[in-house]
Amino acid sequence: MNSIISSGKYRISILTDRLIRLEYNEDGRFEDRMTRAVVNRTPDDVSVSVTTSNGRLVVQTKELVLNYDEKEFTTQGLSIEMKSTGKVWHYSVVFGNSDRNLFGTARTLDEKDGSTPLEPGIFGRNGYAVLDDSGSPVFEESEDGEGRYVLRDTEAKDLYFFGYGTDFYGGLRDFYRLCGKTPLIPRYSLGNWWSRYYRYSEESYKEVVDKFREEEIPLSVAVIDMDWHVTDVDSKYGTGWTGYTWNKELFPDYKRFLKMLHDNGLSVTLNLHPADGVRAFEDMYRQVAEKAGIDPDSEETVEFDFGNESFRKAYFEEIMHPYEADGVDFWWIDWQQGTGRKASDVDPLFLLNHYHYRDQEMRNVRPMIFSRYAGPGSHRYPVGFSGDTVCSWKSLCFQPYFTSTASNIGYGWWSHDIGGHMLGDKDNERLIRWIQLGVFSPIMRLHSSNSPFLNKEPWTIEEPYHSVMQKFMRLRHRLVPYIYTESYRAHHDDRPLIRPMYYDNPENEAAYDVPCEYGFGDMLIVGAVTEKMDEELRMASVNMLIPKGRYVDIFNGRVYQGPVRRKLYRDIESVPVLLKAGGILPLADNNTKNTTANPDSMEILIAAGESGSYSLYEDDGCSMNYRNGAFVTTEIVSECSSECITVSIKPSSGDLSLIPGSRDIKLTILGVSAFGELPEVSDEEGKRLDTSYDAARHSVTVRLGKVSAQKGAAVKIRSLALSENDLRTEVYTILDRAWTKITDKDIVYRALNGKSKEEFLEWLRGSGISETLKDAITEVYED
């Protein structure tokens, strides 16, 4: 193996068959230290051929051919060909990454009303992309073992060529090996977060918590924005934007306040704006100043400098750790001041993210922060705060694309201000569509500004929006078993929770042009509705690709047969969420309490039509003990034949003390029709089980009762057939809802009842009704 080719001013490192590092430095020095982005350059055992031809270096792997004139990188002097496609990348100062990049993400969406330019990702439509690590700070070891990040002291090119074609998962696997794994975040982070920039007091925040309980809407995280600390400060200290001392007027006993939140099942995060350092009015100023080597009587500000070890030590030991001992679970690091005060500064945002995360990890706490993106490598420090967006349809429309595309740089844990943060206008339809997106997002966090007119408390929202908001926020907590399992897969298997559609459908051109559609874990496809409803239809639509195969909508039971690209229409009460035949979706059963714990009752959705399996993952949700094997997996298997569906819940494997000894479980089979009144269902001993059939949703529900984790269970469901869409009923519903002429409705309905399916579709295409109404009808009439 000849994985490194070096001569004078250049070094080429073959890391895999499809990943090559390219360095050029006039002084012949090359970088072996970790950088902000890169933490592991251990190469694969790759077969490499190195030859010269016409005065040029030719390096070949199984997948790539590199051609280089051994001079400073130029367009003519450096190229890499992909053997499988013949596509050739040429180095370019302008297009050094890729001329058809699929993009990654951005530092922030602060004050954005719609889209924003994105940084490059590691994939491109030509099959390649380049990660430029030239400007990334490096980690410098120290004798005390602490080490520090510093800027590079030399001008050099340091590039990583990714030539993975359409093998997106393979590219991500090697990206995560190069740049570090995505961590497993705490389970509590996957529930509903309540956040608002508002001058809460202990009493008023408790009122909010109580009102959510009355609404039977579960929460898991309580966010307290900057007014937790003193903000009205003497002008000689500057502004009150930075602060570390609790506001005793609002929170006379903050420890009691934090205990109240924990007693209500909530984890807690506080907002930090750390840029102004620690000033003399702070409660802990004297201790911090002394540790920083400053005379406290001087009242000199302890300047924020996260590159300084003594400042960091004082910051954590005198501020962060005591508050965490009092009940703060993690910190919202709201850094907004750019990349440093001096040219020699390493980006403070990256340092804050890195050291906050490392501080928790060193104490066997499952680390999590809430902070902005600081460039490639930031995936190692979830969760991401996308910033203060404008409340508009344009902002909502951009976020599904923004969230899924971030996977192209390995960044899988964005959290948005659901509903938008500021400005804009009041629009409850838009708020509900944003909440529906939030429920099927990495993090579900409501947030808004302190305007008295920008209210998202459910009890302030009128019907029908209020009920829909309740329904979806409850659903978020029901989804936690699935989302947590998929978050483990993101960590362990390098398969991100949110996936652009082209990851699993790379050869379908439509997959690259459905920005509001994405994969949500291995089992679900989501279409985010991001436009206002059509005034005539009283529905809104989303442009989607339905991949090859049979899919069932988990909300209405509608069946789709792919591949097909089309608009899917939904009223305000749902969005398209598709489960492929054979797919299995584990849910917590209806639970309105503030908990994300491993559930003691579950509903398992199964889409009929194919066999399938799913491995549910569970652990304690908060420690690092899973690294040592403290977790549980439960295999769920569905076998579909022409005669019956057999569902097996296998005995759980692992540390069973982490889960309930037995659970109430019900199975819901989607996409089926019953031959008789009820299908025949029996367990392993032949005992008939409690069963119901929902004709409108085309689903059968079987109640298994208590299922032992040690023993598992199995059932056979007979007398079922795969369902077809109830065309006449669905078309009638569309017509009945529409605000259009009664005569037009009558004409369509008469044609529907008097013609065959093919005749009706032919008639519909030539009819004089609106094209939008035609399209909505065609959605349910085509399969």
mmCIF file of all heavy atoms in Angstrom, residues 87-109:
data_model
loop_
_atom_site.group_PDB
_atom_site.id
_atom_site.type_symbol
_atom_site.label_atom_id
_atom_site.label_comp_id
_atom_site.label_asym_id
_atom_site.label_seq_id
_atom_site.Cartn_x
_atom_site.Cartn_y
_atom_site.Cartn_z
ATOM 1 N N LYS A 87 -16.470 11.342 -15.640
ATOM 2 C CA LYS A 87 -16.509 12.761 -15.247
ATOM 3 C C LYS A 87 -15.155 13.149 -14.666
ATOM 4 O O LYS A 87 -14.540 12.381 -13.919
ATOM 5 C CB LYS A 87 -17.617 13.003 -14.225
ATOM 6 C CG LYS A 87 -19.031 12.774 -14.758
ATOM 7 C CD LYS A 87 -19.442 13.902 -15.695
ATOM 8 C CE LYS A 87 -20.861 13.721 -16.204
ATOM 9 N NZ LYS A 87 -21.866 13.903 -15.165
ATOM 10 N N VAL A 88 -14.724 14.371 -15.002
ATOM 11 C CA VAL A 88 -13.395 14.833 -14.592
ATOM 12 C C VAL A 88 -13.522 16.136 -13.813
ATOM 13 O O VAL A 88 -14.167 17.091 -14.269
ATOM 14 C CB VAL A 88 -12.468 15.049 -15.805
ATOM 15 C CG1 VAL A 88 -11.083 15.520 -15.344
ATOM 16 C CG2 VAL A 88 -12.343 13.767 -16.617
ATOM 17 N N TRP A 89 -12.912 16.141 -12.648
ATOM 18 C CA TRP A 89 -12.789 17.372 -11.855
ATOM 19 C C TRP A 89 -11.462 18.024 -12.162
ATOM 20 O O TRP A 89 -10.425 17.363 -12.211
ATOM 21 C CB TRP A 89 -12.859 17.039 -10.366
ATOM 22 C CG TRP A 89 -12.463 18.183 -9.459
ATOM 23 C CD1 TRP A 89 -13.221 19.252 -9.111
ATOM 24 C CD2 TRP A 89 -11.207 18.359 -8.782
ATOM 25 N NE1 TRP A 89 -12.539 20.090 -8.256
ATOM 26 C CE2 TRP A 89 -11.293 19.564 -8.042
ATOM 27 C CE3 TRP A 89 -10.021 17.624 -8.736
ATOM 28 C CZ2 TRP A 89 -10.235 20.045 -7.260
ATOM 29 C CZ3 TRP A 89 -8.965 18.093 -7.959
ATOM 30 C CH2 TRP A 89 -9.082 19.290 -7.236
ATOM 31 N N HIS A 90 -11.492 19.343 -12.368
ATOM 32 C CA HIS A 90 -10.286 20.136 -12.535
ATOM 33 C C HIS A 90 -10.209 21.138 -11.394
ATOM 34 O O HIS A 90 -11.197 21.826 -11.101
ATOM 35 C CB HIS A 90 -10.296 20.888 -13.864
ATOM 36 C CG HIS A 90 -10.213 19.999 -15.064
ATOM 37 N ND1 HIS A 90 -9.013 19.593 -15.619
ATOM 38 C CD2 HIS A 90 -11.187 19.433 -15.814
ATOM 39 C CE1 HIS A 90 -9.256 18.818 -16.656
ATOM 40 N NE2 HIS A 90 -10.567 18.700 -16.798
ATOM 41 N N TYR A 91 -9.053 21.218 -10.788
ATOM 42 C CA TYR A 91 -8.872 22.217 -9.742
ATOM 43 C C TYR A 91 -9.161 23.606 -10.307
ATOM 44 O O TYR A 91 -8.788 23.932 -11.437
ATOM 45 C CB TYR A 91 -7.449 22.173 -9.182
ATOM 46 C CG TYR A 91 -7.185 23.312 -8.220
ATOM 47 C CD1 TYR A 91 -7.568 23.208 -6.892
ATOM 48 C CD2 TYR A 91 -6.590 24.497 -8.662
ATOM 49 C CE1 TYR A 91 -7.360 24.245 -6.010
ATOM 50 C CE2 TYR A 91 -6.379 25.552 -7.784
ATOM 51 C CZ TYR A 91 -6.770 25.427 -6.464
ATOM 52 O OH TYR A 91 -6.575 26.467 -5.595
ATOM 53 N N SER A 92 -9.814 24.442 -9.488
ATOM 54 C CA SER A 92 -10.091 25.805 -9.906
ATOM 55 C C SER A 92 -10.222 26.683 -8.685
ATOM 56 O O SER A 92 -10.866 26.293 -7.704
ATOM 57 C CB SER A 92 -11.379 25.882 -10.733
ATOM 58 O OG SER A 92 -11.756 27.224 -10.956
ATOM 59 N N VAL A 93 -9.621 27.855 -8.743
ATOM 60 C CA VAL A 93 -9.757 28.803 -7.644
ATOM 61 C C VAL A 93 -11.217 29.212 -7.500
ATOM 62 O O VAL A 93 -11.756 29.345 -6.400
ATOM 63 C CB VAL A 93 -8.873 30.040 -7.878
ATOM 64 C CG1 VAL A 93 -9.133 31.096 -6.801
ATOM 65 C CG2 VAL A 93 -7.405 29.658 -7.903
ATOM 66 N N VAL A 94 -11.899 29.368 -8.626
ATOM 67 C CA VAL A 94 -13.298 29.794 -8.612
ATOM 68 C C VAL A 94 -14.217 28.621 -8.285
ATOM 69 O O VAL A 94 -15.088 28.708 -7.428
ATOM 70 C CB VAL A 94 -13.695 30.428 -9.965
ATOM 71 C CG1 VAL A 94 -15.168 30.825 -9.949
ATOM 72 C CG2 VAL A 94 -12.809 31.626 -10.256
ATOM 73 N N PHE A 95 -14.009 27.508 -8.989
ATOM 74 C CA PHE A 95 -14.858 26.331 -8.797
ATOM 75 C C PHE A 95 -14.072 25.208 -8.127
ATOM 76 O O PHE A 95 -14.105 24.058 -8.540
ATOM 77 C CB PHE A 95 -15.413 25.842 -10.136
ATOM 78 C CG PHE A 95 -16.254 26.861 -10.846
ATOM 79 C CD1 PHE A 95 -15.845 27.402 -12.053
ATOM 80 C CD2 PHE A 95 -17.448 27.288 -10.302
ATOM 81 C CE1 PHE A 95 -16.618 28.344 -12.705
ATOM 82 C CE2 PHE A 95 -18.228 28.231 -10.952
ATOM 83 C CZ PHE A 95 -17.818 28.768 -12.152
ATOM 84 N N GLY A 96 -13.326 25.576 -7.084
ATOM 85 C CA GLY A 96 -12.483 24.589 -6.431
ATOM 86 C C GLY A 96 -13.260 23.459 -5.795
ATOM 87 O O GLY A 96 -12.732 22.385 -5.591
ATOM 88 N N ASN A 97 -14.525 23.699 -5.508
ATOM 89 C CA ASN A 97 -15.304 22.636 -4.889
ATOM 90 C C ASN A 97 -16.009 21.803 -5.936
ATOM 91 O O ASN A 97 -15.749 20.623 -6.072
ATOM 92 C CB ASN A 97 -16.325 23.244 -3.909
ATOM 93 C CG ASN A 97 -16.893 22.203 -2.979
ATOM 94 O OD1 ASN A 97 -17.760 21.459 -3.374
ATOM 95 N ND2 ASN A 97 -16.377 22.146 -1.772
ATOM 96 N N SER A 98 -16.872 22.405 -6.697
ATOM 97 C CA SER A 98 -17.638 21.686 -7.700
ATOM 98 C C SER A 98 -18.521 22.690 -8.396
ATOM 99 O O SER A 98 -19.082 23.581 -7.765
ATOM 100 C CB SER A 98 -18.496 20.589 -7.055
ATOM 101 O OG SER A 98 -19.532 20.209 -7.925
ATOM 102 N N ASP A 99 -18.661 22.556 -9.688
ATOM 103 C CA ASP A 99 -19.528 23.490 -10.402
ATOM 104 C C ASP A 99 -20.991 23.098 -10.289
ATOM 105 O O ASP A 99 -21.864 23.876 -10.682
ATOM 106 C CB ASP A 99 -19.109 23.594 -11.878
ATOM 107 C CG ASP A 99 -19.095 22.255 -12.585
ATOM 108 O OD1 ASP A 99 -19.175 21.229 -11.893
ATOM 109 O OD2 ASP A 99 -19.004 22.239 -13.829
ATOM 110 N N ARG A 100 -21.306 21.942 -9.743
ATOM 111 C CA ARG A 100 -22.699 21.513 -9.574
ATOM 112 C C ARG A 100 -22.872 20.892 -8.182
ATOM 113 O O ARG A 100 -23.422 19.819 -8.033
ATOM 114 C CB ARG A 100 -23.087 20.514 -10.666
ATOM 115 C CG ARG A 100 -22.965 21.060 -12.091
ATOM 116 C CD ARG A 100 -23.365 20.008 -13.102
ATOM 117 N NE ARG A 100 -24.801 19.728 -13.051
ATOM 118 C CZ ARG A 100 -25.354 18.618 -13.537
ATOM 119 N NH1 ARG A 100 -24.589 17.662 -14.071
ATOM 120 N NH2 ARG A 100 -26.663 18.435 -13.468
ATOM 121 N N ASN A 101 -22.457 21.640 -7.187
ATOM 122 C CA ASN A 101 -22.505 21.130 -5.821
ATOM 123 C C ASN A 101 -23.946 21.021 -5.340
ATOM 124 O O ASN A 101 -24.809 21.826 -5.701
ATOM 125 C CB ASN A 101 -21.721 22.064 -4.894
ATOM 126 C CG ASN A 101 -21.404 21.424 -3.570
ATOM 127 O OD1 ASN A 101 -22.139 21.567 -2.600
ATOM 128 N ND2 ASN A 101 -20.295 20.701 -3.513
ATOM 129 N N LEU A 102 -24.212 20.013 -4.512
ATOM 130 C CA LEU A 102 -25.538 19.832 -3.927
ATOM 131 C C LEU A 102 -25.693 20.574 -2.606
ATOM 132 O O LEU A 102 -26.755 20.522 -1.988
ATOM 133 C CB LEU A 102 -25.827 18.339 -3.738
ATOM 134 C CG LEU A 102 -26.143 17.591 -5.042
ATOM 135 C CD1 LEU A 102 -26.089 16.087 -4.837
ATOM 136 C CD2 LEU A 102 -27.501 18.016 -5.592
ATOM 137 N N PHE A 103 -24.641 21.264 -2.199
ATOM 138 C CA PHE A 103 -24.623 22.181 -1.062
ATOM 139 C C PHE A 103 -24.733 21.482 0.283
ATOM 140 O O PHE A 103 -25.114 20.322 0.393
ATOM 141 C CB PHE A 103 -25.703 23.264 -1.207
ATOM 142 C CG PHE A 103 -25.496 24.115 -2.429
ATOM 143 C CD1 PHE A 103 -26.350 24.013 -3.507
ATOM 144 C CD2 PHE A 103 -24.426 24.989 -2.499
ATOM 145 C CE1 PHE A 103 -26.159 24.782 -4.646
ATOM 146 C CE2 PHE A 103 -24.218 25.756 -3.631
ATOM 147 C CZ PHE A 103 -25.089 25.652 -4.711
ATOM 148 N N GLY A 104 -24.343 22.254 1.307
ATOM 149 C CA GLY A 104 -24.376 21.785 2.686
ATOM 150 C C GLY A 104 -25.309 22.644 3.506
ATOM 151 O O GLY A 104 -26.520 22.576 3.369
ATOM 152 N N THR A 105 -24.741 23.544 4.334
ATOM 153 C CA THR A 105 -25.609 24.368 5.171
ATOM 154 C C THR A 105 -24.993 25.748 5.341
ATOM 155 O O THR A 105 -24.078 26.126 4.600
ATOM 156 C CB THR A 105 -25.876 23.667 6.522
ATOM 157 O OG1 THR A 105 -26.959 24.311 7.179
ATOM 158 C CG2 THR A 105 -24.647 23.612 7.406
ATOM 159 N N ALA A 106 -25.492 26.531 6.303
ATOM 160 C CA ALA A 106 -25.038 27.899 6.524
ATOM 161 C C ALA A 106 -24.931 28.152 8.016
ATOM 162 O O ALA A 106 -25.522 27.440 8.836
ATOM 163 C CB ALA A 106 -26.010 28.893 5.888
ATOM 164 N N ARG A 107 -24.204 29.203 8.377
ATOM 165 C CA ARG A 107 -23.959 29.515 9.777
ATOM 166 C C ARG A 107 -25.247 29.892 10.507
ATOM 167 O O ARG A 107 -25.455 29.505 11.653
ATOM 168 C CB ARG A 107 -22.946 30.656 9.873
ATOM 169 C CG ARG A 107 -22.454 30.958 11.301
ATOM 170 C CD ARG A 107 -21.401 32.050 11.265
ATOM 171 N NE ARG A 107 -20.893 32.435 12.570
ATOM 172 C CZ ARG A 107 -19.733 32.059 13.085
ATOM 173 N NH1 ARG A 107 -18.962 31.222 12.388
ATOM 174 N NH2 ARG A 107 -19.331 32.472 14.269
ATOM 175 N N THR A 108 -26.117 30.631 9.840
ATOM 176 C CA THR A 108 -27.308 31.107 10.528
ATOM 177 C C THR A 108 -28.378 31.537 9.534
ATOM 178 O O THR A 108 -28.080 31.865 8.377
ATOM 179 C CB THR A 108 -26.967 32.299 11.452
ATOM 180 O OG1 THR A 108 -28.144 32.705 12.165
ATOM 181 C CG2 THR A 108 -26.435 33.477 10.651
ATOM 182 N N LEU A 109 -29.618 31.527 9.990
ATOM 183 C CA LEU A 109 -30.738 32.098 9.248
ATOM 184 C C LEU A 109 -31.226 33.388 9.910
ATOM 185 O O LEU A 109 -32.336 33.851 9.636
ATOM 186 C CB LEU A 109 -31.897 31.098 9.175
ATOM 187 C CG LEU A 109 -31.644 29.814 8.382
ATOM 188 C CD1 LEU A 109 -32.873 28.911 8.426
ATOM 189 C CD2 LEU A 109 -31.274 30.122 6.936
#
